[in-house]
Amino acid sequence: MRLSSHTAIGVAATALALALAGCGSEASGGGGSTVTLRLGFLPTLPQAPALIGIKNGVFAQDLGANVTLKTQTFNAGPAEITALIAGSLDAAFVGPSPAITAFVKSKGAALRIVAGATSGGAGLVVRNDENIASPEQLRGKTLATPQLGNTQDVALRTYLRAHGLTTDPQGGGDVKVVPTDNPTTLQLFKQKQLDGAWVPEPFLSRLILEDGGALVVDEATLWPAGKFPSTVLVVSTSFLADHPDEVKALVQGDLDAIAILDGQAADAKVAVNDQLEVLTQKKLSTAVLDAAWGRLTFTPDPLAASAQKSADDAKAAGLLAGDVQLKGLFDLRILNDLLRSRSEPAVDSAGLGQN
């Protein structure tokens, strides 16, 4: 079993002042300068806007010839955000929890959420032979999440706490939560070394359809109107300050990618599946792809109203300490300008940033 180490976000945030002084993409001086934009993402279906944006050349086209796009994949959000804070990334498609944690620990200096990407597509699957009929029956079980402090990890710990079950970051408590990368989770689940896992798509549907799992909790049922952000687009504050035009082009690419996913769904599913095969060496079956796709909503709205609850949940799980202040987390001015130019409604920052 390959276990993720405790997220290094706190350590990286401590050194943030040094990173901000020298990080960010290099640009050549003078007219016609070039910029390198380093973009992180995860090879999961909730990151379909990133997958289609890269696969179909949407980002490259919107960024233009003077921007070199370099991409890097990660297993889970905390590692991705650590790379961004350390200056190895300029922007990232990531779950909201690691972004919120980095923002809080850096006292707002690390990053801004500039757009949404996807809502939905996560939940808790257990083995059918466990016959779990109530949360209390999870006591004593071993459950996996992609990484300590990632969005699914916080969601699982919050669900367990709401039903009187304790966890801790070291894997103790009433339920043992084991950070495990998603492909390894599939193997351990099949080998009956895990009782269940709270994972994003397509791993949720794969556990059900390929490994005989049972869906115990669809996370959408835990949020108002079934809406919760599973992927947002974040940018380092230094890159946003130094390269606003490139950030605008990246957000434009996000909007264009979402438009393809919504307007050309059949072709988009094929393209996303092809990109997943390139990244993971495995193409999803039609049954898995269709099931997973049905749990996802692609939207540029980062659903800012959910952020405070996410932060409070992380604090209650022992993953955040002190005063949790989120003012300034969102900078949606570029997004809303682009939405208005497309005659689409602006999105709300819920008082946590600039619209």
Side-chain angles (χ1 to χ4, degrees):
M1 180 187 303
R2 191 180 78 177
L3 304 182
S4 302
S5 62
H6 193 288
T7 177
I9 286 176
V11 175
T14 302
L16 184 62
L18 293 176
L20 289 178
C23 75
S25 297
E26 295 182 357
S28 61
S33 63
T34 60
V35 174
T36 297
L37 195 164
R38 299 160 300 175
L39 178 67
F41 67 101
L42 312 181
T44 59
L45 274 184
Q47 302 226 351
L51 298 173
I52 199 78
I54 294 167
K55 169 70 175 176
N56 285 17
V58 174
F59 294 157
Q61 179 175 334
D62 284 333
L63 287 167
N66 287 337
V67 180
T68 299
L69 178 65
K70 293 186 177 180
T71 62
Q72 184 176 352
T73 60
F74 294 81
N75 172 64
E80 191 177 12
I81 290 297
T82 297
L84 185 140
I85 291 175
S88 299
L89 292 178
D90 305 304
F93 285 89
V94 68
S97 289
I100 289 169
T101 297
F103 180 86
V104 171
K105 289 187 174 182
S106 69
K107 300 186 185 303
L111 54 80
R112 297 291 182 268
I113 295 175
V114 295
T118 308
S119 169
L124 174 61
V125 178
V126 300
R127 298 203 323 265
N128 265 325
D129 59 0
E130 293 287 354
N131 296 314
I132 302 295
S134 69
E136 176 59 31
Q137 290 176 289
L138 294 170
R139 187 182 298 274
K141 303 300 184 182
T142 299
L143 306 178
T145 61
Q147 189 174 2
L148 180 64
N150 96 308
T151 300
Q152 289 79 49
D153 185 70
V154 173
L156 173 58
R157 294 174 191 276
T158 300
Y159 175 80
L160 294 172
R161 187 178 66 257
H163 291 88
L165 298 170
T166 62
T167 65
D168 65 44
Q170 293 73 42
D174 297 326
V175 180
K176 184 177 183 180
V177 178
V178 185
T180 310
D181 66 67
N182 291 317
T184 302
T185 290
L186 294 173
Q187 299 170 15
L188 297 179
F189 190 91
K190 184 178 294 186
Q191 295 166 1
K192 298 187 177 182
Q193 295 184 46
L194 288 173
D195 299 304
W198 197 297
V199 289
E201 293 289 7
F203 300 98
L204 184 151
S205 291
R206 289 187 65 185
L207 288 175
I208 295 170
L209 297 174
E210 297 175 0
D211 296 337
L215 181 62
V216 174
V217 183
D218 183 339
E219 190 174 344
T221 64
L222 306 179
W223 292 89
K227 296 180 179 180
F228 68 98
S230 48
T231 303
V232 296
L233 176 58
V234 305
V235 178
S236 74
T237 52
S238 59
F239 192 85
L240 180 58
D242 294 341
H243 303 289
D245 291 341
E246 285 72 20
V247 173
K248 180 178 180 179
L250 181 61
V251 175
Q252 179 70 59
D254 181 40
L255 289 171
D256 290 342
I258 290 170
I260 292 172
L261 292 166
D262 287 341
Q264 306 170 37
D267 290 340
K269 285 165 71 173
V270 173
V272 167
N273 205 7
D274 287 344
Q275 186 68 355
L276 284 175
E277 183 179 25
V278 169
L279 297 170
T280 67
Q281 289 74 58
K282 182 176 178 63
K283 181 172 286 191
L284 301 176
S285 69
T286 300
V288 167
L289 184 59
D290 288 345
W293 203 270
R295 294 189 178 94
L296 301 171
T297 300
F298 305 111
T299 173
D301 187 349
L303 302 171
S306 68
Q308 190 62 58
K309 181 182 184 305
S310 295
D312 293 342
D313 289 345
K315 182 175 181 178
L319 302 173
L320 271 179
D323 190 19
V324 178
Q325 294 290 337
L326 300 184
K327 181 66 175 178
L329 172 62
F330 295 88
D331 190 338
L332 305 180
R333 291 173 295 177
I334 289 173
L335 171 63
N336 281 331
D337 284 347
L338 289 170
L339 288 172
R340 293 184 187 104
S341 73
R342 298 158 75 114
S343 299
E344 297 178 18
V347 300
D348 185 14
S349 66
L352 300 178
Q354 296 173 301
N355 289 333

